[in-house]
Amino acid sequence: MASFGFSSNFSLVENRGHDAVDLRTLVAASKLLAHSLGLLKLYPGSKSWSLRAACSREVGTARAASEAATAVAVDDGIVREKERDGVLRVGVICGGPSAERGISMNSARSVIDHIQGEDLHVSCYYIDCDLNAYAISTAQVYSNTPADFDFKLESLAQGFRSLSDFAAHLAASVDIVFPVIHGQFGEDGGIQELLERYNIPFVGTGSSECCQAFDKYQASLELSKHGFVTVPSFLVQGCEANEAELEKWFERNQLDPMSGKVVVKPARAGSSIGVTVAYGTADSLKKASEIISEGIDEKVIVEIFLEGGNEFTAIVLDVGSGFDSHPVALLPTEVELQFRGNVDVREKDAIFNYRRKYLPTQQVAYHTPPRFPVDVIEDIRKGASLLFKRLGLRDFARIDGWFLPSKHLSSSKEVFGVTDYGTIVFTDINLISGMEQTSFLFQQASKVGFSHSNILRSIINHACLRFPDLASHKDLSGHLPRVDNSSKLAGTSRKLEKRHKIFIIFGGNTSERQVSLMSGTNVWLNLQAFDDLEVIPCLLAPSNQHSLGTVVNGEDFQLSSWAVWSLPYSLVLRHTTEEVLAACAEAIEPSRAALTSLLRKQVMSDLMEGLRKQKWFSGFDIADELPVKYSMEQWILHAKEVQATVFIAVHGGIGEDGTLQSLLENEGVPYTGPGVMASRTCMDKVSTSLSLSNLANLGVLTIKKEVWSKKDLLNVPILDVWQDVISKLQCESICIKPARDGCSTGVARLRCPEDLKVYIKALEEGLLRIPPNSFSKAHGMIEMPNPPPEFLIFEPFIETDEIIMSSKSKNENASHFMWEGRSRWVEITVGVIGKRGSMHSLSPSITVKETGDILSLEEKFQGGTGINLTPPPVSIMSDEALERCKQRIEVIANTLHLEGFSRIDAFVNVDTGEVLIIEVNTVPGMTPSTVLIHQALAEKPPVYPHEFFRTLLDLGSERFA
């Protein structure tokens, strides 16, 4: 979040053979240090960013203060920091060789966001696919995926000649390491072994215990030895597959060797990577062979499919002293897979895979605590804590498993997991649990009184207790950033009254509501950094008379159609808006609320048994508060009464078509983003094109469009529709998209009438998604708007030059991307920010489609996926063409009367800088992986997320002052 740590990341690196530190590096570092200390602030001026003093704003966590005490000295080729009294130096390491390295970056970003403070200094490190280590800036951690910057590492980061050199650097430069590498090298004991070899303190479990627990097959054997129920499994290793032995295993477990349903998964991979369902021995061996041939793992497990079970996951926190383990399981979460609408029959075999874990769709729902009997929940907590201790785990871990009602995998009463209600079985141990903003760690921690910062600092503090030199270190928990909704605990209600209230509203009823939840959550967490703000998250939801599938926007809008929920901390951290609503209903339902409160108190009591002995623990900081429901009218009047500014994070629908803006404006309530008319124009893609149609002589072009109603598409013969569209658009390949929707939902490339038939059938049947490879050419999953759009747009499909990203091996010196540049057009997305009439263009990002012709929902919004080249590499686009492009983007923004901030999607000619407009988003995505953050960080000096969102907020407040 902060620029704090940026300069030292460049200064705390090995010189790699040079006699002195690079002058440009030191100059850049000094500029960033000045910015991070609050001496300079970026603010949108008439045509460019100008600097102004920023002495009036209090940043609650004082992120940059510790940098003021930093000094550097060159010694034996390594630039070291001098000792700083009372400041703990933490090295966060992310990346790694596994497919989870993108998620690892998200986790690292979250850790950095929430632990920085005047008492703690963070340095960032990255391990690439080939196990090369780099000291990187925190700016790079905010990239969407490692591919965003892998090809620039040689010029942007300082590398180490070997892992040994890297470890030597860590030993000299940090007090403790926080590894957040998921999967291989992070959870299998690799990084831990390296740190142990050099006696470097680190957070988490030791190397040998990691190695044992990470291997699912070995862990299962160990659990069985310790008296736990385990899932019957068969090991396929390398090319030693024995079909006859596998058939015997099928028969022993009463499975048909021809069609018995099993799960096939790598023994040493995480996050459901490579996990699939198979039928019979032949299919099992085929799936196992594919996992091995793809290089995911050489050891593959075949295990019985747990039909009729309920999956759960539990975070275990160690609150003991030093090496005296005292693990306590938090409130577990039930994972419910959901099937809605007409889905492909293959979805019925669905598992909790990578996509369901990290992309917010209605395919999965979480329940914390689970909807299990109380005794079962307590047994899960007891078993997870016992497992944690017996396997020698440390600090924290996530343990997954299944509750099988009325089913017993063991007849022995002596085995742990056999209960009167069914069987509890633990299946997976995650040594470094995901730490994205709404991950299980933070969901479960907030339920029992921990904020993001409190739980992370508690984990670090506990790890320090194992090391005598750190055990007496200055307490960290006494410097927790302030969080909202905790006034009862903090006793600061008088101070809260003086702070400016900010209502962050997200949700809505469109297909973009889940992304809206991600955006609102991210803005809420970032703005909590400021002591002068009281930030309150608010969910916009249909009232009781309307469901999430009811269209109630535009001319049909009525105030009575909507409700707004003011949310306490723990209820925001959910996967979908439906979950948030369900959690609100549960929170005010007497019996469920009583059960949750009882379980919460029990967990807090268990935690305090250990925590009360720790001097550093200053208490829980999240109160057990209830949500408050308002009608839309009541909420707006409340905002007016308390003089709040509304930060709009509602994508699509009434949040982006001018309706919400109009309601707020009528009552004089300030809000962020463009005004009413600009919002209405940009929401309608046809109106947007018409408004810009006279700018061709300025190098701004528009795409011809044909609009069809859903009703006509369903009634006119397919071939007639196709011939009419391609005749009018004069093209052979077309792009279809909703007329008033966004975020890649319902956007597809159609090459023939048969493709159109598939798309129209999906509209008619109200499909939530079009399965991969349903059209004439291979493509990924296409999420569809829900409810289906009433109007759709046909456009010529614009062919752009393909950019191919490649992994660079150790012996390769070539660029990480390949681009032939035949058509000279590439797709870009770019943020604009400022006041009306003087909008400033950030540096565009070239968007890279990894699969298919259309950017997928994952590539736009799922952390750890999607590639954005920010700014465009000079090998693709010259500085002169880039500047002309930015000037035209500003012309577009000013012509549309944009203000505050927006995002413009377009095609650009890399030679001329001509811009072909696609669409304008007046409430763009503000998720942790949004390109707007990448682009703000590309400014000089870089603007970090908390300051970026504060600037957007101030632009909204000042406009109505």
Side-chain angles (χ1 to χ4, degrees):
M1 180 182 292
S3 54
F4 167 102
F6 189 94
S7 58
S8 56
N9 279 335
F10 280 109
S11 60
L12 294 177
V13 292
E14 186 179 6
N15 211 324
R16 300 195 73 187
H18 297 288
D19 294 328
V21 179
D22 182 71
L23 179 61
R24 289 171 299 176
T25 298
L26 290 178
V27 170
S30 64
K31 289 181 179 178
L32 290 169
L33 177 60
H35 173 58
S36 67
L37 290 174
L39 302 178
L40 299 173
K41 175 178 179 277
L42 294 176
Y43 191 77
S46 59
K47 293 299 267 184
S48 62
W49 292 79
S50 59
L51 299 174
R52 70 173 185 178
C55 301
S56 59
R57 187 177 298 162
E58 297 179 35
V59 180
T61 54
R63 290 176 172 79
S66 62
E67 280 201 51
T70 301
V72 297
V74 179
D75 181 24
D76 297 329
I78 295 178
V79 184
R80 293 194 178 98
E81 282 189 299
K82 291 182 178 178
E83 292 297 328
R84 294 169 299 172
D85 293 336
V87 178
L88 185 72
R89 301 171 302 171
V90 179
V92 174
I93 307 177
C94 63
S98 83
E100 299 177 83
R101 57 188 173 273
I103 301 302
S104 169
M105 283 182 54
N106 297 343
S107 292
R109 179 171 57 224
S110 191
V111 169
I112 293 165
D113 280 353
H114 297 293
I115 68 173
Q116 295 257 36
E118 61 185 4
D119 58 334
L120 191 151
H121 173 84
V122 178
S123 299
C124 305
Y125 302 94
Y126 172 72
I127 307 288
D128 71 10
C129 292
D130 296 318
L131 299 185
N132 298 310
Y134 298 86
I136 64 172
S137 73
T138 49
Q140 285 168 280
V141 179
Y142 289 96
S143 298
N144 199 33
T145 173
D148 286 351
F149 67 82
D150 266 343
F151 69 98
K152 296 187 287 188
L153 275 172
E154 296 296 335
S155 59
L156 285 185
Q158 289 285 346
F160 299 93
R161 285 188 293 259
S162 66
L163 287 178
S164 296
D165 286 352
F166 174 49
H169 161 79
L170 291 174
S173 304
V174 303
D175 297 313
I176 190 167
V177 166
F178 198 144
V180 289
I181 299 175
H182 303 310
Q184 296 168 8
F185 197 66
E187 296 180 85
D188 62 3
I191 186 68
Q192 291 82 4
E193 184 180 4
L194 177 69
L195 297 171
E196 288 167 349
R197 193 185 311 152
Y198 284 81
N199 297 314
I200 300 170
F202 63 90
V203 173
T205 300
S207 61
S208 60
E209 292 82 4
C210 279
C211 183
Q212 176 181 264
F214 183 68
D215 187 317
K216 295 179 176 65
Y217 188 73
Q218 291 300 323
S220 179
L221 294 178
E222 194 67 21
L223 285 178
S224 183
K225 288 179 186 177
H226 285 291
F228 288 85
V229 176
T230 56
V231 182
S233 61
F234 182 90
L235 180 64
V236 177
Q237 193 159 6
C239 301
E240 300 173 7
N242 188 321
E243 188 168 358
E245 288 297 320
L246 183 57
E247 285 185 6
K248 291 179 183 177
W249 179 85
F250 265 72
E251 291 168 356
R252 280 199 306 272
N253 289 283
Q254 300 179 341
L255 295 171
D256 184 344
M258 300 297 294
S259 60
K261 189 175 180 180
V262 294
V263 173
V264 181
K265 62 184 180 182
R268 298 166 298 187
S271 283
S272 304
I273 291 172
V275 183
T276 186
V277 175
Y279 294 87
T281 57
D283 190 32
S284 298
L285 291 176
K286 177 176 176 290
K287 299 284 177 59
S289 177
E290 290 171 354
I291 291 172
I292 294 170
S293 63
E294 289 172 10
I296 298 175
D297 197 2
E298 293 180 352
K299 294 176 65 176
V300 179
I301 300 173
V302 179
E303 64 182 26
I304 65 172
F305 190 99
L306 298 176
E307 297 275 11
N310 304 97
E311 194 166 359
F312 66 81
T313 186
I315 298 292
V316 182
L317 186 67
D318 191 355
V319 294
S321 300
F323 289 93
D324 179 20
S325 177
H326 182 176
V328 175
L330 305 184
L331 280 181
T333 299
E334 176 190 355
V335 179
E336 178 192 12
L337 296 186
Q338 298 181 326
F339 307 100
R340 300 169 181 270
N342 298 314
V343 297
D344 189 289
V345 68
R346 289 170 290 179
E347 286 288 299
K348 295 301 181 183
D349 293 334
I351 52 178
F352 189 41
N353 59 18
Y354 191 86
R355 188 174 197 266
R356 289 182 173 87
K357 232 172 224 188
Y358 297 113
L359 184 68
T361 69
Q362 286 183 265
Q363 291 181 282
V364 65
Y366 302 138
H367 306 276
T368 309
R371 300 166 301 174
F372 305 159
V374 174
D375 289 347
V376 172
I377 295 173
E378 284 304 300
D379 281 344
I380 289 172
R381 293 189 59 236
K382 178 182 176 182
S385 300
L386 186 62
L387 183 158
F388 185 100
K389 191 162 189 172
R390 289 188 176 174
L391 293 187
L393 310 186
R394 299 196 310 223
D395 297 331
F396 77 116
R398 195 186 86 233
I399 298 171
D400 303 337
W402 290 77
F403 169 54
L404 308 168
S406 305
K407 185 181 292 187
H408 295 95
L409 295 180
S410 174
S411 58
S412 174
K413 290 289 185 179
E414 302 301 317
V415 177
F416 187 92
V418 177
T419 75
D420 293 337
Y421 297 96
T423 300
I424 297 168
V425 55
F426 298 104
T427 56
D428 294 280
I429 301 163
N430 301 270
L431 286 312
I432 302 178
S433 177
M435 285 168 274
E436 294 183 300
Q437 288 181 343
T438 58
S439 67
F440 292 124
L441 173 65
F442 299 125
Q443 285 185 31
Q444 295 180 22
S446 67
K447 271 289 187 183
V448 295
F450 287 105
S451 66
H452 286 64
S453 181
N454 200 356
I455 187 66
L456 290 171
R457 283 169 165 249
S458 293
I459 290 168
I460 294 171
N461 263 315
H462 182 269
C464 286
L465 295 177
R466 288 195 299 277
F467 308 97
D469 291 343
L470 299 179
S472 59
H473 206 281
K474 183 178 179 181
D475 297 342
L476 298 177
S477 294
H479 295 270
L480 293 173
R482 176 196 51 75
V483 294
D484 289 329
N485 297 325
S486 59
S487 57
K488 292 179 182 177
L489 293 177
T492 57
S493 57
R494 189 174 302 172
K495 182 180 178 182
L496 292 180
E497 292 175 1
K498 299 178 181 178
R499 292 187 281 138
H500 183 195
K501 286 183 170 57
I502 308 301
F503 292 173
I504 300 176
I505 188 165
F506 48 84
N509 72 325
T510 73
S511 58
E512 300 177 76
R513 60 187 178 273
Q514 316 306 359
V515 176
S516 173
L517 173 60
M518 294 169 66
S519 291
T521 301
N522 188 44
V523 174
W524 164 61
L525 288 170
N526 271 281
L527 289 182
Q528 286 187 82
F530 298 94
D531 278 338
D532 62 327
L533 302 179
E534 180 184 358
V535 192
I536 302 168
C538 302
L539 176 72
L540 174 66
S543 64
N544 293 333
Q545 293 77 30
H546 297 84
S547 68
L548 281 168
T550 305
V551 179
V552 285
N553 51 19
E555 296 180 358
D556 299 325
F557 175 80
Q558 295 179 346
L559 276 177
S560 61
S561 304
W562 293 97
V564 179
W565 291 81
S566 180
L567 303 172
Y569 195 109
S570 66
L571 293 193
V572 187
L573 307 178
R574 290 296 185 275
H575 194 64
T576 64
T577 55
E578 288 77 12
E579 279 185 59
V580 177
L581 275 176
C584 288
E586 284 184 0
I588 60 177
E589 196 279 313
S591 60
R592 179 70 179 180
L595 173 62
T596 301
S597 179
L598 174 68
L599 292 171
R600 169 189 165 98
K601 289 176 182 176
Q602 180 59 56
V603 175
M604 293 176 77
S605 176
D606 293 344
L607 288 166
M608 283 306 297
E609 281 186 35
L611 291 173
R612 66 167 56 97
K613 303 172 187 176
Q614 314 301 338
K615 294 180 180 179
W616 49 262
F617 186 67
S618 59
F620 302 104
D621 57 337
I622 299 296
D624 186 15
E625 298 184 342
L626 296 176
V628 178
K629 183 180 180 181
Y630 298 90
S631 69
M632 172 71 87
E633 186 175 18
Q634 289 172 334
W635 180 76
I636 293 174
L637 291 175
H638 177 54
K640 179 179 181 179
E641 180 183 357
V642 300
Q643 298 181 318
T645 295
V646 174
F647 198 118
I648 299 177
V650 179
H651 303 314
I654 70 168
E656 207 162 350
D657 67 4
T659 303
L660 182 56
Q661 290 82 355
S662 178
L663 292 170
L664 293 169
E665 211 164 286
N666 289 342
E667 293 296 334
V669 177
Y671 59 86
T672 58
V676 177
M677 292 309 299
S679 297
R680 287 177 181 169
T681 299
C682 296
M683 182 66 170
D684 188 320
K685 296 178 178 68
V686 175
S687 295
T688 303
S689 289
L690 290 174
S691 298
L692 302 173
S693 59
N694 63 339
L695 300 179
N697 62 327
L698 298 178
V700 176
L701 312 175
T702 57
I703 304 173
K704 190 174 181 181
K705 295 173 171 58
E706 282 294 314
V707 181
W708 279 69
S709 69
K710 182 183 72 172
K711 179 180 178 182
D712 289 341
L713 287 175
L714 296 179
N715 292 317
V716 176
I718 300 289
L719 195 56
D720 290 351
V721 175
W722 182 262
Q723 292 296 340
D724 180 77
V725 170
I726 63 172
S727 173
K728 290 179 178 177
L729 296 180
Q730 293 294 298
C731 63
E732 296 180 356
S733 179
I734 58 179
C735 180
I736 188 170
K737 63 180 71 172
R740 296 169 63 84
D741 213 327
C743 78
S744 295
T745 50
V747 183
R749 181 180 184 178
L750 310 178
R751 291 178 168 82
C752 59
E754 288 71 24
D755 288 350
L756 178 59
K757 182 178 180 181
V758 171
Y759 191 95
I760 292 176
K761 190 173 188 297
L763 288 177
E764 185 177 18
E765 297 180 359
L767 293 185
L768 296 179
R769 62 197 67 88
I770 298 176
N773 306 324
S774 297
F775 296 140
S776 56
K777 186 178 177 181
H779 64 88
M781 184 83 74
I782 298 174
E783 296 287 337
M784 294 295 286
N786 181 33
E790 291 302 315
F791 292 92
L792 294 109
I793 291 174
F794 291 98
E795 298 174 344
F797 184 84
I798 306 299
E799 293 281 359
T800 58
D801 290 324
E802 185 178 16
I803 299 172
I804 300 173
M805 305 303 296
S806 63
S807 298
K808 189 174 76 171
S809 70
K810 293 178 181 177
N811 301 320
E812 220 173 68
N813 293 316
S815 171
H816 267 53
F817 66 86
M818 295 174 285
W819 179 70
E820 294 184 357
R822 294 176 180 173
S823 77
R824 312 305 292 167
W825 288 88
V826 295
E827 186 173 349
I828 62 167
T829 185
V830 55
V832 290
I833 184 170
K835 296 182 178 180
R836 183 171 174 175
S838 57
M839 295 295 283
H840 166 72
S841 171
L842 299 175
S843 184
S845 301
I846 294 181
T847 55
V848 180
K849 297 181 286 290
E850 296 180 86
T851 58
D853 299 303
I854 304 294
L855 277 174
S856 67
L857 197 65
E858 288 96 329
E859 289 171 322
K860 277 195 174 183
F861 298 112
Q862 178 179 313
T865 60
I867 300 171
N868 298 287
L869 306 180
T870 312
V874 292
S875 59
I876 294 179
M877 193 173 188
S878 69
D879 291 339
E880 293 77 13
L882 179 62
E883 188 57 36
R884 287 195 293 269
C885 168
K886 291 172 68 173
Q887 290 171 359
R888 285 159 178 151
I889 290 294
E890 291 172 356
V891 168
I892 292 169
N894 293 327
T895 300
L896 293 172
H897 304 300
L898 300 181
E899 54 191 318
F901 69 110
S902 295
R903 193 190 78 230
I904 296 173
D905 297 335
F907 300 105
V908 63
N909 186 291
V910 297
D911 298 321
T912 66
E914 288 179 295
V915 172
L916 180 59
I917 192 76
I918 299 174
E919 64 183 22
V920 178
N921 298 272
T922 54
V923 184
M926 290 166 278
T927 67
S929 53
T930 178
V931 293
L932 291 183
I933 290 178
H934 310 173
Q935 293 170 12
L937 287 165
E939 293 291 304
K940 299 186 185 304
V943 186
Y944 281 77
H946 70 284
E947 189 64 33
F948 177 66
F949 290 123
R950 180 60 192 255
T951 300
L952 304 185
L953 174 66
D954 288 348
L955 283 168
S957 298
E958 291 167 6
R959 189 169 81 223
F960 292 87

